[in-house]
Amino acid sequence: MMTRFGYTLMTEQNGPKELVANAIEAERVGFDFEVSSDHYSPWLSAQGHSPYAWSVLGAVAHATERVELYSYVTCPTIRYHPVVVAQKSATLQILADGRFVLGLGTGESLNEHVVGKGWPSLDTRQDMLVEAVELIRELHTGELITFRGEYFDADSARLWDVPDTAVPIGIAISGDKSVNRFGPIADHLIATEPNASLVEQWKDIRSSVGDGPVGRSVGQIPISWDPDRDTATARAHDQFRWFAGGWSVNSDLPTTAGFAGATAFVRPEDVAEAIPCGPDLDRIVDAVAPYWDAGFTDIALVQIGGETQQQFLGEIAEPLLEKLRDAAPR
């Protein structure tokens, strides 16, 4: 597969109208797909936003024509019941004319604890996600169903508006255990690290469960472009130092204050080592390359800083995409 490049609608960085404007511009400059985070809270208070992702995605579906759209990712187990996720993903697929992929994951305490149902163990969250996917797929058939599960029930439930194009499901996977649990039930892999062995495991599992295509492997990488490297580094440190914690930590912290405390000793130079900062587009390409080397077919960029999006899209995105496509496998 030709490597595709995406743009991240980071709901933690912009309000809803700005996100839609950014989505329109990202399509215009040539991104292949767009992914939207689905959070109740920003990671750090410095980011300053967290509108409802599904309202934004609906507006983006109406305002764009070509780009594929992802929820990246939605937790369908605590804050949302799976029957609600089934309904809104089917509706969005209709609005997007078949361009939507439902990205799912086990979630983070930051977003899910707010409904007062606690924060289950990872094993329990994985069990809940497997059951939620089963229920969502049953509802996407448009049939009247009654479902009795260990975690979720549905009584005489039916989706009345079902898209002609089935809603593909991508699942966030981080290691051997999750790839074995979710590989057989997901259409696409979603991951945040360029782990080649994970992609190979994924392909092996997908090949063993059917004769169709193995699906896409979708990754994401933050960047902090700015004409001034020090400004880019300071902004990345201010708004994205939470990224240094890793998902095993990030999934369990419940508040922005928790993330601020957990990253209090992360230095700007630490962030600059992990995230390409500044005007050098070749450095960004070098940072993205491990993803295609690991076998990822789709790579979404996160430009850090809500106030920088229009400058990034208007001045840099097109030459950056050209460099990325020249360097990536075809």
Side-chain angles (χ1 to χ4, degrees):
M1 297 181 182
M2 180 180 293
T3 308
R4 303 191 310 166
F5 297 98
Y7 172 78
T8 299
L9 299 166
M10 198 77 175
T11 59
E12 301 93 311
Q13 296 187 149
N14 284 113
K17 289 187 175 181
E18 292 78 14
L19 288 164
V20 176
N22 295 342
I24 294 168
E25 184 67 3
E27 180 178 66
R28 186 194 70 79
V29 300
F31 281 98
D32 301 304
F33 64 99
E34 299 178 7
V35 306
S36 172
S37 55
D38 182 2
H39 284 201
Y40 196 83
S41 173
W43 298 101
L44 293 166
S45 58
Q47 292 176 312
H49 294 277
S50 199
Y52 184 52
W54 290 85
S55 298
V56 173
L57 280 167
V60 169
H62 185 70
T64 58
E65 298 178 351
R66 174 186 56 79
V67 286
E68 196 171 59
L69 303 174
Y70 285 71
S71 58
Y72 201 92
V73 294
T74 289
C75 176
T77 59
I78 300 175
R79 185 168 41 121
Y80 307 132
H81 192 283
V83 298
V84 176
V85 175
Q87 183 186 36
K88 60 189 178 183
S89 57
T91 299
L92 189 53
Q93 185 69 304
I94 294 169
L95 289 170
D97 294 321
R99 292 180 287 128
F100 178 64
V101 176
L102 176 60
L104 300 177
T106 55
E108 299 94 17
S109 178
L110 177 71
N111 307 297
E112 308 306 319
H113 84 278
V114 296
V115 295
K117 293 184 179 180
W119 185 235
S121 69
L122 178 58
D123 285 345
T124 299
R125 299 199 311 269
Q126 290 187 347
D127 291 342
M128 294 172 75
L129 181 54
V130 170
E131 188 172 296
V133 170
E134 180 185 354
L135 177 50
I136 290 167
R137 289 204 188 272
E138 286 196 26
L139 285 165
H140 279 170
T141 66
E143 299 294 326
L144 179 68
I145 71 162
T146 293
F147 185 96
R148 293 285 180 265
E150 183 178 354
Y151 302 101
F152 307 108
D153 294 333
D155 292 316
S156 301
R158 176 185 175 187
L159 297 185
W160 291 89
D161 291 277
V162 177
D164 294 332
T165 302
V167 181
I169 293 178
I171 298 184
I173 292 170
S174 59
D176 292 346
K177 187 173 182 179
S178 60
V179 75
N180 288 324
R181 290 297 309 276
F182 305 135
I185 64 172
D187 300 304
H188 305 297
L189 172 142
I190 293 171
T192 58
E193 296 180 0
N195 186 328
S197 63
L198 190 70
V199 175
E200 285 305 311
Q201 264 187 282
W202 155 262
K203 289 179 179 178
D204 289 343
I205 290 171
R206 293 304 303 163
S207 297
S208 70
V209 298
D211 298 327
V214 297
R216 310 195 75 90
S217 302
V218 189
Q220 186 182 54
I221 180 172
I223 65 173
S224 185
W225 174 85
D226 193 276
D228 180 74
R229 188 173 188 274
D230 290 341
T231 299
T233 300
R235 185 173 64 241
H237 179 259
D238 181 49
Q239 296 192 23
F240 237 78
R241 65 184 183 276
W242 60 271
F243 194 73
W247 291 108
S248 60
V249 174
N250 293 343
S251 64
D252 286 332
L253 294 175
T255 64
T256 56
F259 278 92
T263 58
F265 299 104
V266 177
R267 303 169 301 172
E269 54 265 39
D270 299 326
V271 173
E273 285 182 11
I275 297 171
C277 297
D280 188 347
L281 299 189
D282 290 328
R283 185 162 182 261
I284 296 174
V285 173
D286 289 342
V288 174
Y291 283 85
W292 65 61
D293 288 341
F296 282 81
T297 61
D298 297 51
I299 307 161
L301 307 181
V302 183
Q303 165 63 7
I304 297 172
E307 74 283 1
T308 72
Q309 301 302 307
Q310 286 296 310
Q311 183 182 14
F312 169 76
L313 291 167
E315 297 179 14
I316 298 303
E318 288 182 274
L320 176 57
L321 283 170
E322 183 177 355
K323 282 180 172 290
L324 287 167
R325 287 173 178 143
D326 284 345
R330 296 179 181 273

